[in-house]
Amino acid sequence: MIIQPDYFTHYKTQDLCALLNDHNGAIYPIRLWIHLTNRRTDVLEEATPRKVAAICHFRCPDVSAEHFLSSLIDCGLFEYSDTDKSLKASNLREYNAGLFRNWENGKKGGRPRKLKDNPNETQVKPKDNPEL
């Protein structure tokens, strides 16, 4: 999984830390991204506040799980869909395009194997020098 080099100083990460009043708040999205990549997806189905808080190992008695989930959405790192109650990681697929592409190719059987011998059609015998 690729994380951008400026992740810890990015404004969205800093916004999340401010919303949670937790200077270690940057680690929570990483835990959720790891959970999603282990399942080869960028969408968490049935994303209840307690489920998201448990995946992220969020344990702060002063902040509710509902506030934690809304903070992840408000800072722009995740998008919530009310229709199917799913949580989508913003830009995870774009930043890790190679990883997602390899997973899709693996479903199709992966990369085609190299041929041991070239087919006869491509092995043309060299001809004499052409006449001038």
Side-chain angles (χ1 to χ4, degrees):
M1 181 179 73
I2 297 172
I3 297 175
Q4 295 299 313
D6 70 336
Y7 169 72
F8 288 99
T9 58
H10 194 273
Y11 76 93
K12 290 180 181 180
T13 311
Q14 295 301 312
D15 189 28
L16 177 64
C17 292
L19 288 169
L20 295 175
N21 195 22
D22 183 356
H23 64 276
N24 292 321
I27 198 70
Y28 302 125
I30 294 174
R31 288 178 176 154
L32 188 50
W33 291 331
I34 290 169
H35 177 83
L36 293 172
T37 54
N38 282 339
R39 280 141 189 86
R40 299 182 177 197
T41 185
D42 61 341
V43 177
L44 179 66
E45 302 296 331
E46 300 173 14
T48 63
R50 287 183 58 202
K51 181 178 182 178
V52 174
I55 290 170
C56 295
H57 298 235
F58 179 73
R59 291 172 179 81
C60 182
D62 300 336
V63 180
S64 68
E66 290 79 12
H67 179 71
F68 174 66
L69 178 58
S70 67
S71 298
L72 290 173
I73 297 163
D74 291 345
C75 71
L77 291 171
F78 294 88
E79 301 163 9
Y80 189 76
S81 171
D82 286 326
T83 56
D84 58 355
K85 307 290 186 214
S86 65
L87 188 67
K88 182 179 188 273
S90 302
N91 300 324
L92 183 66
R93 187 174 292 268
E94 289 81 13
Y95 289 137
N96 294 279
L99 186 62
F100 280 86
R101 187 173 48 251
N102 289 342
W103 292 336
E104 290 301 317
N105 289 339
K107 291 177 186 176
K108 301 174 194 171
R111 180 184 223 169
R113 293 186 181 194
K114 289 185 177 180
L115 298 174
K116 291 185 180 181
D117 295 324
N118 284 337
N120 289 334
E121 296 86 40
T122 62
Q123 296 179 356
V124 178
K125 291 186 179 181
K127 296 182 180 179
D128 293 335
N129 287 335
E131 294 182 25
L132 297 175

PDB file of all heavy atoms in Angstrom, residues 81-117:
ATOM      1  N   SER A  81     -21.666   6.695   2.053  1.00  0.00           N
ATOM      2  CA  SER A  81     -22.857   6.566   1.210  1.00  0.00           C
ATOM      3  C   SER A  81     -24.037   6.180   2.090  1.00  0.00           C
ATOM      4  O   SER A  81     -24.023   5.107   2.710  1.00  0.00           O
ATOM      5  CB  SER A  81     -22.623   5.505   0.130  1.00  0.00           C
ATOM      6  OG  SER A  81     -23.814   5.234  -0.545  1.00  0.00           O
ATOM      7  N   ASP A  82     -25.033   7.043   2.141  1.00  0.00           N
ATOM      8  CA  ASP A  82     -26.219   6.765   2.957  1.00  0.00           C
ATOM      9  C   ASP A  82     -27.074   5.651   2.371  1.00  0.00           C
ATOM     10  O   ASP A  82     -27.776   4.965   3.113  1.00  0.00           O
ATOM     11  CB  ASP A  82     -27.076   8.031   3.095  1.00  0.00           C
ATOM     12  CG  ASP A  82     -26.449   9.032   4.044  1.00  0.00           C
ATOM     13  OD1 ASP A  82     -25.815   8.598   5.024  1.00  0.00           O
ATOM     14  OD2 ASP A  82     -26.601  10.241   3.812  1.00  0.00           O
ATOM     15  N   THR A  83     -27.013   5.461   1.058  1.00  0.00           N
ATOM     16  CA  THR A  83     -27.887   4.464   0.432  1.00  0.00           C
ATOM     17  C   THR A  83     -27.525   3.046   0.848  1.00  0.00           C
ATOM     18  O   THR A  83     -28.401   2.252   1.168  1.00  0.00           O
ATOM     19  CB  THR A  83     -27.831   4.581  -1.102  1.00  0.00           C
ATOM     20  OG1 THR A  83     -26.481   4.447  -1.529  1.00  0.00           O
ATOM     21  CG2 THR A  83     -28.390   5.910  -1.564  1.00  0.00           C
ATOM     22  N   ASP A  84     -26.239   2.714   0.844  1.00  0.00           N
ATOM     23  CA  ASP A  84     -25.848   1.345   1.217  1.00  0.00           C
ATOM     24  C   ASP A  84     -24.995   1.296   2.481  1.00  0.00           C
ATOM     25  O   ASP A  84     -24.417   0.271   2.809  1.00  0.00           O
ATOM     26  CB  ASP A  84     -25.137   0.641   0.060  1.00  0.00           C
ATOM     27  CG  ASP A  84     -23.897   1.386  -0.402  1.00  0.00           C
ATOM     28  OD1 ASP A  84     -23.632   2.491   0.103  1.00  0.00           O
ATOM     29  OD2 ASP A  84     -23.188   0.859  -1.270  1.00  0.00           O
ATOM     30  N   LYS A  85     -24.909   2.416   3.202  1.00  0.00           N
ATOM     31  CA  LYS A  85     -24.183   2.499   4.480  1.00  0.00           C
ATOM     32  C   LYS A  85     -22.727   2.028   4.341  1.00  0.00           C
ATOM     33  O   LYS A  85     -22.206   1.305   5.179  1.00  0.00           O
ATOM     34  CB  LYS A  85     -24.881   1.676   5.562  1.00  0.00           C
ATOM     35  CG  LYS A  85     -26.334   1.994   5.746  1.00  0.00           C
ATOM     36  CD  LYS A  85     -26.535   3.336   6.365  1.00  0.00           C
ATOM     37  CE  LYS A  85     -28.007   3.552   6.670  1.00  0.00           C
ATOM     38  NZ  LYS A  85     -28.433   4.907   6.512  1.00  0.00           N
ATOM     39  N   SER A  86     -22.089   2.460   3.255  1.00  0.00           N
ATOM     40  CA  SER A  86     -20.697   2.051   3.030  1.00  0.00           C
ATOM     41  C   SER A  86     -19.768   3.251   3.170  1.00  0.00           C
ATOM     42  O   SER A  86     -20.165   4.397   2.995  1.00  0.00           O
ATOM     43  CB  SER A  86     -20.543   1.427   1.644  1.00  0.00           C
ATOM     44  OG  SER A  86     -20.802   2.388   0.649  1.00  0.00           O
ATOM     45  N   LEU A  87     -18.518   2.957   3.484  1.00  0.00           N
ATOM     46  CA  LEU A  87     -17.481   3.971   3.654  1.00  0.00           C
ATOM     47  C   LEU A  87     -16.410   3.711   2.617  1.00  0.00           C
ATOM     48  O   LEU A  87     -15.837   2.618   2.571  1.00  0.00           O
ATOM     49  CB  LEU A  87     -16.898   3.884   5.072  1.00  0.00           C
ATOM     50  CG  LEU A  87     -15.932   4.970   5.489  1.00  0.00           C
ATOM     51  CD1 LEU A  87     -16.665   6.313   5.590  1.00  0.00           C
ATOM     52  CD2 LEU A  87     -15.314   4.622   6.836  1.00  0.00           C
ATOM     53  N   LYS A  88     -16.141   4.701   1.773  1.00  0.00           N
ATOM     54  CA  LYS A  88     -15.161   4.555   0.693  1.00  0.00           C
ATOM     55  C   LYS A  88     -13.944   5.392   1.010  1.00  0.00           C
ATOM     56  O   LYS A  88     -14.046   6.554   1.397  1.00  0.00           O
ATOM     57  CB  LYS A  88     -15.765   5.007  -0.641  1.00  0.00           C
ATOM     58  CG  LYS A  88     -14.830   4.836  -1.813  1.00  0.00           C
ATOM     59  CD  LYS A  88     -15.509   5.276  -3.096  1.00  0.00           C
ATOM     60  CE  LYS A  88     -14.680   4.935  -4.287  1.00  0.00           C
ATOM     61  NZ  LYS A  88     -13.711   5.929  -4.635  1.00  0.00           N
ATOM     62  N   ALA A  89     -12.774   4.785   0.843  1.00  0.00           N
ATOM     63  CA  ALA A  89     -11.520   5.505   1.048  1.00  0.00           C
ATOM     64  C   ALA A  89     -11.258   6.405  -0.151  1.00  0.00           C
ATOM     65  O   ALA A  89     -11.120   5.930  -1.273  1.00  0.00           O
ATOM     66  CB  ALA A  89     -10.373   4.525   1.238  1.00  0.00           C
ATOM     67  N   SER A  90     -11.214   7.700   0.084  1.00  0.00           N
ATOM     68  CA  SER A  90     -10.992   8.651  -1.004  1.00  0.00           C
ATOM     69  C   SER A  90      -9.592   8.468  -1.579  1.00  0.00           C
ATOM     70  O   SER A  90      -8.613   8.444  -0.841  1.00  0.00           O
ATOM     71  CB  SER A  90     -11.137  10.083  -0.499  1.00  0.00           C
ATOM     72  OG  SER A  90     -12.405  10.287   0.062  1.00  0.00           O
ATOM     73  N   ASN A  91      -9.510   8.319  -2.882  1.00  0.00           N
ATOM     74  CA  ASN A  91      -8.248   8.253  -3.635  1.00  0.00           C
ATOM     75  C   ASN A  91      -7.372   7.043  -3.330  1.00  0.00           C
ATOM     76  O   ASN A  91      -6.237   6.987  -3.808  1.00  0.00           O
ATOM     77  CB  ASN A  91      -7.421   9.526  -3.439  1.00  0.00           C
ATOM     78  CG  ASN A  91      -8.150  10.763  -3.899  1.00  0.00           C
ATOM     79  OD1 ASN A  91      -8.881  10.723  -4.873  1.00  0.00           O
ATOM     80  ND2 ASN A  91      -7.974  11.856  -3.193  1.00  0.00           N
ATOM     81  N   LEU A  92      -7.822   6.092  -2.551  1.00  0.00           N
ATOM     82  CA  LEU A  92      -7.001   4.905  -2.278  1.00  0.00           C
ATOM     83  C   LEU A  92      -6.743   4.127  -3.560  1.00  0.00           C
ATOM     84  O   LEU A  92      -5.624   3.684  -3.818  1.00  0.00           O
ATOM     85  CB  LEU A  92      -7.671   4.005  -1.238  1.00  0.00           C
ATOM     86  CG  LEU A  92      -6.880   2.763  -0.817  1.00  0.00           C
ATOM     87  CD1 LEU A  92      -5.619   3.173  -0.069  1.00  0.00           C
ATOM     88  CD2 LEU A  92      -7.727   1.860   0.061  1.00  0.00           C
ATOM     89  N   ARG A  93      -7.757   3.983  -4.380  1.00  0.00           N
ATOM     90  CA  ARG A  93      -7.620   3.250  -5.647  1.00  0.00           C
ATOM     91  C   ARG A  93      -6.689   3.998  -6.599  1.00  0.00           C
ATOM     92  O   ARG A  93      -5.895   3.392  -7.310  1.00  0.00           O
ATOM     93  CB  ARG A  93      -8.984   3.039  -6.285  1.00  0.00           C
ATOM     94  CG  ARG A  93      -8.961   2.149  -7.504  1.00  0.00           C
ATOM     95  CD  ARG A  93     -10.359   1.851  -8.018  1.00  0.00           C
ATOM     96  NE  ARG A  93     -11.129   1.034  -7.115  1.00  0.00           N
ATOM     97  CZ  ARG A  93     -11.182  -0.303  -7.167  1.00  0.00           C
ATOM     98  NH1 ARG A  93     -10.506  -0.940  -8.083  1.00  0.00           N
ATOM     99  NH2 ARG A  93     -11.904  -0.976  -6.314  1.00  0.00           N
ATOM    100  N   GLU A  94      -6.750   5.327  -6.628  1.00  0.00           N
ATOM    101  CA  GLU A  94      -5.905   6.106  -7.533  1.00  0.00           C
ATOM    102  C   GLU A  94      -4.436   6.043  -7.112  1.00  0.00           C
ATOM    103  O   GLU A  94      -3.547   5.897  -7.943  1.00  0.00           O
ATOM    104  CB  GLU A  94      -6.365   7.565  -7.588  1.00  0.00           C
ATOM    105  CG  GLU A  94      -7.672   7.759  -8.318  1.00  0.00           C
ATOM    106  CD  GLU A  94      -8.901   7.443  -7.461  1.00  0.00           C
ATOM    107  OE1 GLU A  94      -8.775   7.305  -6.231  1.00  0.00           O
ATOM    108  OE2 GLU A  94      -9.988   7.286  -8.046  1.00  0.00           O
ATOM    109  N   TYR A  95      -4.169   6.192  -5.815  1.00  0.00           N
ATOM    110  CA  TYR A  95      -2.796   6.164  -5.327  1.00  0.00           C
ATOM    111  C   TYR A  95      -2.168   4.780  -5.417  1.00  0.00           C
ATOM    112  O   TYR A  95      -0.962   4.645  -5.514  1.00  0.00           O
ATOM    113  CB  TYR A  95      -2.702   6.663  -3.883  1.00  0.00           C
ATOM    114  CG  TYR A  95      -2.930   8.146  -3.736  1.00  0.00           C
ATOM    115  CD1 TYR A  95      -3.713   8.648  -2.717  1.00  0.00           C
ATOM    116  CD2 TYR A  95      -2.374   9.059  -4.623  1.00  0.00           C
ATOM    117  CE1 TYR A  95      -3.935  10.004  -2.572  1.00  0.00           C
ATOM    118  CE2 TYR A  95      -2.579  10.413  -4.493  1.00  0.00           C
ATOM    119  CZ  TYR A  95      -3.359  10.880  -3.467  1.00  0.00           C
ATOM    120  OH  TYR A  95      -3.573  12.228  -3.327  1.00  0.00           O
ATOM    121  N   ASN A  96      -2.987   3.753  -5.357  1.00  0.00           N
ATOM    122  CA  ASN A  96      -2.512   2.369  -5.403  1.00  0.00           C
ATOM    123  C   ASN A  96      -3.036   1.659  -6.642  1.00  0.00           C
ATOM    124  O   ASN A  96      -3.440   0.499  -6.580  1.00  0.00           O
ATOM    125  CB  ASN A  96      -2.952   1.627  -4.135  1.00  0.00           C
ATOM    126  CG  ASN A  96      -2.292   2.182  -2.900  1.00  0.00           C
ATOM    127  OD1 ASN A  96      -1.160   1.849  -2.597  1.00  0.00           O
ATOM    128  ND2 ASN A  96      -2.990   3.062  -2.202  1.00  0.00           N
ATOM    129  N   ALA A  97      -3.021   2.339  -7.768  1.00  0.00           N
ATOM    130  CA  ALA A  97      -3.589   1.818  -9.008  1.00  0.00           C
ATOM    131  C   ALA A  97      -2.916   0.511  -9.434  1.00  0.00           C
ATOM    132  O   ALA A  97      -3.586  -0.421  -9.879  1.00  0.00           O
ATOM    133  CB  ALA A  97      -3.476   2.856 -10.123  1.00  0.00           C
ATOM    134  N   GLY A  98      -1.612   0.425  -9.293  1.00  0.00           N
ATOM    135  CA  GLY A  98      -0.907  -0.798  -9.668  1.00  0.00           C
ATOM    136  C   GLY A  98      -1.343  -1.994  -8.844  1.00  0.00           C
ATOM    137  O   GLY A  98      -1.501  -3.103  -9.363  1.00  0.00           O
ATOM    138  N   LEU A  99      -1.546  -1.778  -7.561  1.00  0.00           N
ATOM    139  CA  LEU A  99      -1.982  -2.844  -6.664  1.00  0.00           C
ATOM    140  C   LEU A  99      -3.368  -3.345  -7.053  1.00  0.00           C
ATOM    141  O   LEU A  99      -3.588  -4.552  -7.189  1.00  0.00           O
ATOM    142  CB  LEU A  99      -1.983  -2.316  -5.229  1.00  0.00           C
ATOM    143  CG  LEU A  99      -2.271  -3.280  -4.104  1.00  0.00           C
ATOM    144  CD1 LEU A  99      -1.217  -4.370  -4.048  1.00  0.00           C
ATOM    145  CD2 LEU A  99      -2.333  -2.533  -2.787  1.00  0.00           C
ATOM    146  N   PHE A 100      -4.298  -2.430  -7.278  1.00  0.00           N
ATOM    147  CA  PHE A 100      -5.653  -2.820  -7.675  1.00  0.00           C
ATOM    148  C   PHE A 100      -5.650  -3.482  -9.052  1.00  0.00           C
ATOM    149  O   PHE A 100      -6.385  -4.429  -9.289  1.00  0.00           O
ATOM    150  CB  PHE A 100      -6.586  -1.607  -7.660  1.00  0.00           C
ATOM    151  CG  PHE A 100      -7.072  -1.245  -6.284  1.00  0.00           C
ATOM    152  CD1 PHE A 100      -6.326  -0.421  -5.457  1.00  0.00           C
ATOM    153  CD2 PHE A 100      -8.269  -1.735  -5.808  1.00  0.00           C
ATOM    154  CE1 PHE A 100      -6.760  -0.090  -4.182  1.00  0.00           C
ATOM    155  CE2 PHE A 100      -8.727  -1.415  -4.540  1.00  0.00           C
ATOM    156  CZ  PHE A 100      -7.957  -0.593  -3.726  1.00  0.00           C
ATOM    157  N   ARG A 101      -4.814  -2.989  -9.964  1.00  0.00           N
ATOM    158  CA  ARG A 101      -4.727  -3.583 -11.303  1.00  0.00           C
ATOM    159  C   ARG A 101      -4.206  -5.016 -11.219  1.00  0.00           C
ATOM    160  O   ARG A 101      -4.704  -5.915 -11.889  1.00  0.00           O
ATOM    161  CB  ARG A 101      -3.823  -2.730 -12.190  1.00  0.00           C
ATOM    162  CG  ARG A 101      -3.784  -3.152 -13.630  1.00  0.00           C
ATOM    163  CD  ARG A 101      -2.998  -2.185 -14.517  1.00  0.00           C
ATOM    164  NE  ARG A 101      -1.702  -1.802 -13.973  1.00  0.00           N
ATOM    165  CZ  ARG A 101      -1.391  -0.604 -13.496  1.00  0.00           C
ATOM    166  NH1 ARG A 101      -2.293   0.359 -13.498  1.00  0.00           N
ATOM    167  NH2 ARG A 101      -0.198  -0.342 -13.017  1.00  0.00           N
ATOM    168  N   ASN A 102      -3.215  -5.254 -10.377  1.00  0.00           N
ATOM    169  CA  ASN A 102      -2.683  -6.612 -10.208  1.00  0.00           C
ATOM    170  C   ASN A 102      -3.733  -7.554  -9.626  1.00  0.00           C
ATOM    171  O   ASN A 102      -3.794  -8.724 -10.007  1.00  0.00           O
ATOM    172  CB  ASN A 102      -1.446  -6.591  -9.320  1.00  0.00           C
ATOM    173  CG  ASN A 102      -0.258  -5.968 -10.002  1.00  0.00           C
ATOM    174  OD1 ASN A 102      -0.222  -5.833 -11.225  1.00  0.00           O
ATOM    175  ND2 ASN A 102       0.724  -5.567  -9.219  1.00  0.00           N
ATOM    176  N   TRP A 103      -4.551  -7.054  -8.715  1.00  0.00           N
ATOM    177  CA  TRP A 103      -5.615  -7.891  -8.160  1.00  0.00           C
ATOM    178  C   TRP A 103      -6.618  -8.262  -9.236  1.00  0.00           C
ATOM    179  O   TRP A 103      -7.070  -9.412  -9.307  1.00  0.00           O
ATOM    180  CB  TRP A 103      -6.330  -7.180  -7.020  1.00  0.00           C
ATOM    181  CG  TRP A 103      -5.513  -6.981  -5.793  1.00  0.00           C
ATOM    182  CD1 TRP A 103      -4.427  -7.722  -5.397  1.00  0.00           C
ATOM    183  CD2 TRP A 103      -5.704  -5.996  -4.786  1.00  0.00           C
ATOM    184  NE1 TRP A 103      -3.940  -7.245  -4.209  1.00  0.00           N
ATOM    185  CE2 TRP A 103      -4.706  -6.176  -3.802  1.00  0.00           C
ATOM    186  CE3 TRP A 103      -6.602  -4.966  -4.608  1.00  0.00           C
ATOM    187  CZ2 TRP A 103      -4.592  -5.387  -2.678  1.00  0.00           C
ATOM    188  CZ3 TRP A 103      -6.500  -4.170  -3.485  1.00  0.00           C
ATOM    189  CH2 TRP A 103      -5.512  -4.386  -2.534  1.00  0.00           C
ATOM    190  N   GLU A 104      -6.983  -7.303 -10.087  1.00  0.00           N
ATOM    191  CA  GLU A 104      -7.920  -7.581 -11.176  1.00  0.00           C
ATOM    192  C   GLU A 104      -7.318  -8.559 -12.180  1.00  0.00           C
ATOM    193  O   GLU A 104      -7.995  -9.468 -12.654  1.00  0.00           O
ATOM    194  CB  GLU A 104      -8.326  -6.285 -11.880  1.00  0.00           C
ATOM    195  CG  GLU A 104      -9.208  -5.393 -11.040  1.00  0.00           C
ATOM    196  CD  GLU A 104     -10.505  -6.052 -10.618  1.00  0.00           C
ATOM    197  OE1 GLU A 104     -11.135  -6.723 -11.458  1.00  0.00           O
ATOM    198  OE2 GLU A 104     -10.878  -5.912  -9.444  1.00  0.00           O
ATOM    199  N   ASN A 105      -6.041  -8.382 -12.526  1.00  0.00           N
ATOM    200  CA  ASN A 105      -5.387  -9.294 -13.459  1.00  0.00           C
ATOM    201  C   ASN A 105      -5.256 -10.692 -12.863  1.00  0.00           C
ATOM    202  O   ASN A 105      -5.321 -11.685 -13.584  1.00  0.00           O
ATOM    203  CB  ASN A 105      -4.015  -8.767 -13.864  1.00  0.00           C
ATOM    204  CG  ASN A 105      -4.116  -7.566 -14.772  1.00  0.00           C
ATOM    205  OD1 ASN A 105      -5.133  -7.352 -15.410  1.00  0.00           O
ATOM    206  ND2 ASN A 105      -3.067  -6.766 -14.814  1.00  0.00           N
ATOM    207  N   GLY A 106      -5.073 -10.774 -11.558  1.00  0.00           N
ATOM    208  CA  GLY A 106      -4.983 -12.075 -10.900  1.00  0.00           C
ATOM    209  C   GLY A 106      -6.278 -12.855 -11.003  1.00  0.00           C
ATOM    210  O   GLY A 106      -6.269 -14.083 -11.107  1.00  0.00           O
ATOM    211  N   LYS A 107      -7.410 -12.156 -11.016  1.00  0.00           N
ATOM    212  CA  LYS A 107      -8.701 -12.828 -11.177  1.00  0.00           C
ATOM    213  C   LYS A 107      -8.840 -13.433 -12.568  1.00  0.00           C
ATOM    214  O   LYS A 107      -9.567 -14.393 -12.763  1.00  0.00           O
ATOM    215  CB  LYS A 107      -9.847 -11.838 -10.940  1.00  0.00           C
ATOM    216  CG  LYS A 107      -9.981 -11.385  -9.513  1.00  0.00           C
ATOM    217  CD  LYS A 107     -11.092 -10.355  -9.386  1.00  0.00           C
ATOM    218  CE  LYS A 107     -11.153  -9.777  -7.988  1.00  0.00           C
ATOM    219  NZ  LYS A 107     -12.164  -8.715  -7.890  1.00  0.00           N
ATOM    220  N   LYS A 108      -8.122 -12.857 -13.526  1.00  0.00           N
ATOM    221  CA  LYS A 108      -8.184 -13.335 -14.914  1.00  0.00           C
ATOM    222  C   LYS A 108      -7.105 -14.375 -15.207  1.00  0.00           C
ATOM    223  O   LYS A 108      -6.939 -14.775 -16.342  1.00  0.00           O
ATOM    224  CB  LYS A 108      -8.015 -12.169 -15.876  1.00  0.00           C
ATOM    225  CG  LYS A 108      -9.049 -11.091 -15.734  1.00  0.00           C
ATOM    226  CD  LYS A 108      -8.703  -9.924 -16.636  1.00  0.00           C
ATOM    227  CE  LYS A 108      -9.512  -8.705 -16.288  1.00  0.00           C
ATOM    228  NZ  LYS A 108      -9.037  -7.519 -16.996  1.00  0.00           N
ATOM    229  N   GLY A 109      -6.355 -14.764 -14.219  1.00  0.00           N
ATOM    230  CA  GLY A 109      -5.302 -15.750 -14.428  1.00  0.00           C
ATOM    231  C   GLY A 109      -3.914 -15.157 -14.384  1.00  0.00           C
ATOM    232  O   GLY A 109      -2.922 -15.858 -14.518  1.00  0.00           O
ATOM    233  N   GLY A 110      -3.807 -13.863 -14.203  1.00  0.00           N
ATOM    234  CA  GLY A 110      -2.507 -13.225 -14.086  1.00  0.00           C
ATOM    235  C   GLY A 110      -1.867 -12.921 -15.430  1.00  0.00           C
ATOM    236  O   GLY A 110      -2.485 -13.017 -16.481  1.00  0.00           O
ATOM    237  N   ARG A 111      -0.623 -12.592 -15.357  1.00  0.00           N
ATOM    238  CA  ARG A 111       0.130 -12.247 -16.562  1.00  0.00           C
ATOM    239  C   ARG A 111       0.358 -13.501 -17.398  1.00  0.00           C
ATOM    240  O   ARG A 111       0.726 -14.542 -16.875  1.00  0.00           O
ATOM    241  CB  ARG A 111       1.467 -11.649 -16.130  1.00  0.00           C
ATOM    242  CG  ARG A 111       2.350 -11.251 -17.248  1.00  0.00           C
ATOM    243  CD  ARG A 111       3.667 -10.763 -16.719  1.00  0.00           C
ATOM    244  NE  ARG A 111       4.044  -9.569 -17.441  1.00  0.00           N
ATOM    245  CZ  ARG A 111       5.019  -8.789 -17.098  1.00  0.00           C
ATOM    246  NH1 ARG A 111       5.718  -9.043 -16.027  1.00  0.00           N
ATOM    247  NH2 ARG A 111       5.305  -7.734 -17.810  1.00  0.00           N
ATOM    248  N   PRO A 112       0.202 -13.401 -18.729  1.00  0.00           N
ATOM    249  CA  PRO A 112       0.448 -14.574 -19.573  1.00  0.00           C
ATOM    250  C   PRO A 112       1.912 -15.007 -19.493  1.00  0.00           C
ATOM    251  O   PRO A 112       2.809 -14.178 -19.391  1.00  0.00           O
ATOM    252  CB  PRO A 112       0.110 -14.086 -20.984  1.00  0.00           C
ATOM    253  CG  PRO A 112      -0.649 -12.832 -20.800  1.00  0.00           C
ATOM    254  CD  PRO A 112      -0.267 -12.268 -19.482  1.00  0.00           C
ATOM    255  N   ARG A 113       2.119 -16.320 -19.528  1.00  0.00           N
ATOM    256  CA  ARG A 113       3.481 -16.844 -19.452  1.00  0.00           C
ATOM    257  C   ARG A 113       4.220 -16.598 -20.757  1.00  0.00           C
ATOM    258  O   ARG A 113       3.635 -16.555 -21.835  1.00  0.00           O
ATOM    259  CB  ARG A 113       3.446 -18.339 -19.179  1.00  0.00           C
ATOM    260  CG  ARG A 113       2.912 -18.642 -17.813  1.00  0.00           C
ATOM    261  CD  ARG A 113       3.020 -20.107 -17.537  1.00  0.00           C
ATOM    262  NE  ARG A 113       2.477 -20.371 -16.222  1.00  0.00           N
ATOM    263  CZ  ARG A 113       2.658 -21.487 -15.585  1.00  0.00           C
ATOM    264  NH1 ARG A 113       3.341 -22.466 -16.125  1.00  0.00           N
ATOM    265  NH2 ARG A 113       2.150 -21.656 -14.390  1.00  0.00           N
ATOM    266  N   LYS A 114       5.538 -16.472 -20.621  1.00  0.00           N
ATOM    267  CA  LYS A 114       6.365 -16.330 -21.805  1.00  0.00           C
ATOM    268  C   LYS A 114       6.481 -17.682 -22.496  1.00  0.00           C
ATOM    269  O   LYS A 114       6.552 -18.724 -21.849  1.00  0.00           O
ATOM    270  CB  LYS A 114       7.761 -15.848 -21.430  1.00  0.00           C
ATOM    271  CG  LYS A 114       7.807 -14.415 -20.982  1.00  0.00           C
ATOM    272  CD  LYS A 114       9.239 -13.997 -20.740  1.00  0.00           C
ATOM    273  CE  LYS A 114       9.300 -12.540 -20.349  1.00  0.00           C
ATOM    274  NZ  LYS A 114      10.674 -12.119 -20.102  1.00  0.00           N
ATOM    275  N   LEU A 115       6.535 -17.661 -23.814  1.00  0.00           N
ATOM    276  CA  LEU A 115       6.703 -18.890 -24.572  1.00  0.00           C
ATOM    277  C   LEU A 115       8.160 -19.332 -24.474  1.00  0.00           C
ATOM    278  O   LEU A 115       9.074 -18.516 -24.520  1.00  0.00           O
ATOM    279  CB  LEU A 115       6.324 -18.661 -26.032  1.00  0.00           C
ATOM    280  CG  LEU A 115       4.865 -18.260 -26.269  1.00  0.00           C
ATOM    281  CD1 LEU A 115       4.670 -17.917 -27.741  1.00  0.00           C
ATOM    282  CD2 LEU A 115       3.950 -19.393 -25.875  1.00  0.00           C
ATOM    283  N   LYS A 116       8.377 -20.638 -24.338  1.00  0.00           N
ATOM    284  CA  LYS A 116       9.749 -21.144 -24.244  1.00  0.00           C
ATOM    285  C   LYS A 116      10.457 -21.033 -25.589  1.00  0.00           C
ATOM    286  O   LYS A 116      11.618 -20.697 -25.676  1.00  0.00           O
ATOM    287  CB  LYS A 116       9.748 -22.584 -23.747  1.00  0.00           C
ATOM    288  CG  LYS A 116       9.311 -22.682 -22.301  1.00  0.00           C
ATOM    289  CD  LYS A 116       9.416 -24.087 -21.778  1.00  0.00           C
ATOM    290  CE  LYS A 116       8.967 -24.107 -20.322  1.00  0.00           C
ATOM    291  NZ  LYS A 116       9.051 -25.389 -19.727  1.00  0.00           N
ATOM    292  N   ASP A 117       9.749 -21.366 -26.632  1.00  0.00           N
ATOM    293  CA  ASP A 117      10.309 -21.278 -27.973  1.00  0.00           C
ATOM    294  C   ASP A 117       9.444 -20.333 -28.783  1.00  0.00           C
ATOM    295  O   ASP A 117       8.223 -20.319 -28.646  1.00  0.00           O
ATOM    296  CB  ASP A 117      10.318 -22.652 -28.656  1.00  0.00           C
ATOM    297  CG  ASP A 117      11.253 -23.630 -27.948  1.00  0.00           C
ATOM    298  OD1 ASP A 117      12.301 -23.175 -27.462  1.00  0.00           O
ATOM    299  OD2 ASP A 117      10.911 -24.827 -27.871  1.00  0.00           O
TER     300      ASP A 117
END
